[in-house]
Amino acid sequence: MGFLQDPPQLAHPYRDDPLLRAMLRRALPPARLAAIEPDLKALGDYAVMEWQRACRSTRRKPVLTQWDAWGSRVDRIELTEAWQEGPHITTKHAVLASGHEPHEHARLEEFARVYLYHVASEFYSCPLAMTDGAATALKASGNKALIERALPHLLSRDASTFWLSGQWMTENAGGSDVGNTETIARQDASGQWRLYGRKWFSSAVVGEMALGLARPEGAGSGPGALALFYVETMDGERRKPELIIDRLKDKLGTHELPTAEIHLDGLPAWPLGELSNGVRQVAPMLNITRTWNAVGATASMARALSLARDYATRRHAFGKRLIDQPLHAQTLADMQAEFEGAFALTFEVAHLLGRVEHGSAQPHEVALLRLLTPLAKLWTGKMAVKLCSEALECFGGAGYIEDTGLPQLLRDAQVYAIWEGTTNVLSLDSLRALAGENIGALRTSIEGWLADSIDAHARQAIHQALDAAAAYLQAHASDRTGLEVGARGLALTLARCTAAALLARHDTWSAPHGHARTGAALRRFVAHGLSRFSAADATDTALLLGPH
């Protein structure tokens, strides 16, 4: 029993990541990259430190204490170390604030930071996403009083003044169908709006404010009658008594994140705008939070791959290192190619978001962002589960042992396909984004990305898959059922086409620099196939799901 296996070591996620560094060199002016590099290096340092710390300690969940020793309701939540460090790391390195700087690269620079910080943050990045969405929705609302009140806190670079924001939409009857919201907004004798109801899922209950949907008393039914309200949750150091935490969720993953069920018993609230169309007011958040989700999924894949690659150099089996075993090397290379496609699409969405917000995007890119955001979110969410599962296999039995920290990668990955809209919900949203001629915006962009491509086979494969998608849309133009049946296959096909075209663009840029690996990633990704259409139809579905 003298043998001890060396555990995997985490490579520095900035200094040792040629993919991230090359993308930033291609996309950013040299002065911008030089300006943000200190933050990127520091966040990479923090990620390495946090991985080492997590491997030395027992991971724990947050603890809710509802009552103090003398019977007072306190609803106090004890957080993990990473969560306690969250406000300091976020503000010191402008993880969130950088995305709201007045230049077209702001979002790309923000999400490069998020990519490095996300896994190390133990999903503190989740309420950061909500906070980013709230800041965006506040700015879009034009509500001067609330903007002046909250925005300096949400975008603060000082931990002592920084606020987190929740996003209270999900209820027992709702889920994605927020039209079933049961929370009521009622005015008291002084005219102050107050919220009454129960929110089933709050991922930022430790924050200082929230945006929540509620139905003004006397309003009609359906989503159009809902209004979006601003609330503050703290009264000095204590949580407001009208906000009651029922319990913390016992979830499959994201254990460190204190997700709560809450109920509101007259919590003071202020409408963001009109007392209707609250769902429409939520819309500005969606591009933000779905992009955070895609970046988080991509970061989790990067972490899993980094550890699997390192372990393959340390583990010997059957007389060789794993990295020297042909099948194991093939498996890692396949995973890497898929990951690079996801990375390319995710960061194109991040960069595009900044250009659209800044007003420097081309006209067709506004429609492109509307389409690529749900595509990136749904595809990376599904891929994170698959890739993290494959990565655990790369460790054999150690991948199944809880205190290695590896199983958490898979547990946490499952959330990406659920938060901010499930795969089916986002596939249907992609159909709405494709209404009219919006596939033309994608075709225009792909043609531009492929204009100087040096890989003729990849160009042909991308065009064939894109033509098949366009033909599918045309064939089902008057068949809504048929269109919805194939919506998931269509979305995945368009996501893979886009990713392949972006890999081709990066390959063209990299080739003069002697980076042959980018061509290898493109060839392998295309070889895995771009089309994900299914031959099944609605009749088969009815037969399979009918009475047995």
Side-chain angles (χ1 to χ4, degrees):
M1 300 293 291
F3 173 77
L4 291 174
Q5 174 62 50
D6 285 340
Q9 300 299 311
L10 182 65
H12 194 280
Y14 179 67
R15 285 197 300 268
D16 298 331
D17 186 343
L19 185 63
L20 174 62
R21 291 167 67 88
M23 182 276 293
L24 292 174
R25 285 198 305 274
R26 179 183 55 76
L28 292 178
R32 290 303 321 155
L33 180 55
I36 69 170
E37 268 203 312
D39 285 331
L40 301 183
K41 291 175 181 176
L43 289 167
D45 293 342
Y46 181 79
V48 173
M49 180 281 296
E50 197 280 333
W51 166 253
Q52 294 169 346
R53 181 174 66 187
C55 290
R56 291 193 303 267
S57 61
T58 302
R59 293 184 179 270
R60 63 187 181 89
K61 300 179 181 180
V63 176
L64 170 64
T65 301
Q66 293 176 301
W67 310 91
D68 71 9
W70 302 98
S72 296
R73 185 75 186 238
V74 292
D75 285 353
R76 183 177 62 248
I77 298 175
E78 297 172 51
L79 301 168
T80 65
E81 276 188 278
W83 271 68
Q84 294 174 44
E85 294 161 354
H88 172 73
I89 297 296
T90 296
T91 54
K92 181 178 181 180
H93 301 297
V95 173
L96 194 155
S98 60
H100 293 261
E101 291 179 352
H103 60 84
E104 65 178 297
H105 303 294
R107 288 297 186 181
L108 182 61
E109 294 178 8
E110 173 189 29
F111 285 113
R113 290 170 164 94
V114 173
Y115 178 75
L116 294 168
Y117 179 49
H118 167 67
V119 180
S121 81
E122 296 182 350
F123 279 81
Y124 184 77
S125 52
C126 172
L128 287 183
M130 304 300 109
T131 303
D132 200 352
T136 303
L138 279 167
K139 289 195 288 188
S141 75
N143 188 319
K144 185 177 179 182
L146 293 182
I147 290 171
E148 291 178 353
R149 168 68 177 164
L151 210 60
H153 291 290
L154 301 178
L155 302 181
S156 176
R157 298 184 186 225
D158 180 348
S160 67
T161 60
F162 178 63
W163 283 5
L164 281 179
S165 175
Q167 183 176 303
W168 298 347
M169 313 296 170
T170 308
E171 301 190 5
N172 294 45
S176 296
D177 185 6
V178 296
N180 288 323
T181 292
E182 296 177 340
T183 301
I184 297 298
R186 184 180 299 138
Q187 283 183 296
D188 63 18
S190 71
Q192 174 67 59
W193 286 98
R194 295 181 178 273
L195 302 188
Y196 299 84
R198 191 163 188 268
K199 297 297 184 183
W200 185 79
F201 209 97
S202 170
S203 292
V205 74
V206 295
E208 288 77 13
M209 62 155 284
L211 298 181
L213 286 174
R215 196 177 306 278
E217 192 171 38
S221 60
L226 298 175
L228 185 62
F229 287 88
Y230 165 95
V231 301
E232 293 183 10
T233 63
M234 303 299 292
D235 186 3
E237 295 296 314
R238 297 175 65 88
R239 189 167 285 105
K240 289 185 176 181
E242 301 93 346
L243 168 57
I244 300 158
I245 301 177
D246 295 329
R247 62 173 175 171
L248 297 183
K249 296 284 195 185
D250 188 9
K251 300 163 293 179
L252 170 68
T254 66
H255 288 168
E256 298 89 349
L257 167 59
T259 307
E261 293 180 24
I262 61 177
H263 70 265
L264 313 174
D265 188 22
L267 184 66
W270 293 262
L272 247 66
E274 59 179 324
L275 288 171
S276 61
N277 296 313
V279 177
R280 187 184 304 161
Q281 294 174 58
V282 171
M285 299 186 201
L286 295 180
N287 277 348
I288 307 302
T289 54
R290 288 174 177 175
T291 304
W292 276 80
N293 200 97
V295 172
T298 306
S300 286
M301 289 187 272
R303 170 67 65 92
L305 266 169
S306 176
L307 293 172
R309 282 197 308 269
D310 181 81
Y311 189 70
T313 67
R314 298 173 185 275
R315 175 66 176 168
H316 286 74
F318 307 105
K320 295 181 184 178
R321 298 182 307 165
L322 291 182
I323 197 68
D324 299 320
Q325 302 279 1
L327 183 54
H328 194 84
Q330 175 85 346
T331 301
L332 288 173
D334 284 339
M335 294 162 64
Q336 182 68 28
E338 289 293 305
F339 162 73
E340 294 198 15
F343 179 95
L345 177 54
T346 295
F347 277 97
E348 182 62 25
V349 169
H351 204 184
L352 185 59
L353 174 62
R355 296 202 303 275
V356 169
E357 288 183 333
H358 185 65
S360 58
Q362 297 178 46
H364 74 276
E365 290 183 316
V366 177
L368 183 68
L369 177 65
R370 172 67 182 89
L371 173 61
L372 292 191
T373 303
L375 291 183
K377 189 277 178 190
L378 72 87
W379 181 47
T380 57
K382 296 300 283 187
M383 191 191 300
V385 177
K386 181 178 179 181
L387 193 145
C388 288
S389 176
E390 191 74 66
L392 260 60
E393 281 194 59
C394 293
F395 296 94
Y400 204 64
I401 302 302
E402 193 61 47
D403 57 5
T404 64
L406 298 169
Q408 183 174 6
L409 292 169
L410 179 56
R411 284 202 316 273
D412 287 350
Q414 185 62 60
V415 80
Y416 301 120
I418 296 174
W419 277 353
E420 303 308 308
T422 62
T423 306
N424 283 353
V425 165
L426 288 171
S427 295
L428 296 176
D429 187 48
S430 299
L431 287 182
R432 290 188 288 274
L434 285 164
E437 294 298 318
N438 279 355
I439 196 169
L442 178 59
R443 192 181 290 277
T444 298
S445 296
I446 285 178
E447 292 294 344
W449 299 332
L450 294 177
D452 299 316
S453 174
I454 56 179
D455 190 321
H457 175 71
R459 286 201 310 271
Q460 181 182 21
I462 293 164
H463 284 133
Q464 285 178 345
L466 189 58
D467 289 345
Y472 182 87
L473 284 168
Q474 173 119 26
H476 294 85
S478 58
D479 176 16
R480 185 65 193 181
T481 298
L483 196 59
E484 290 193 8
V485 164
R488 183 185 283 219
L490 175 66
L492 294 173
T493 299
L494 291 176
R496 294 187 66 82
C497 278
T498 306
L502 290 166
L503 287 174
R505 179 188 66 178
H506 190 64
D507 178 41
T508 301
W509 175 85
S510 299
H513 300 83
H515 298 158
R517 65 176 309 285
T518 60
L522 171 63
R523 289 190 296 274
R524 191 170 291 248
F525 183 85
V526 170
H528 293 164
L530 302 182
S531 176
R532 291 296 183 265
F533 286 107
S534 170
D537 60 24
T539 302
D540 291 339
T541 301
L543 288 171
L544 287 167
L545 298 182
H548 289 280

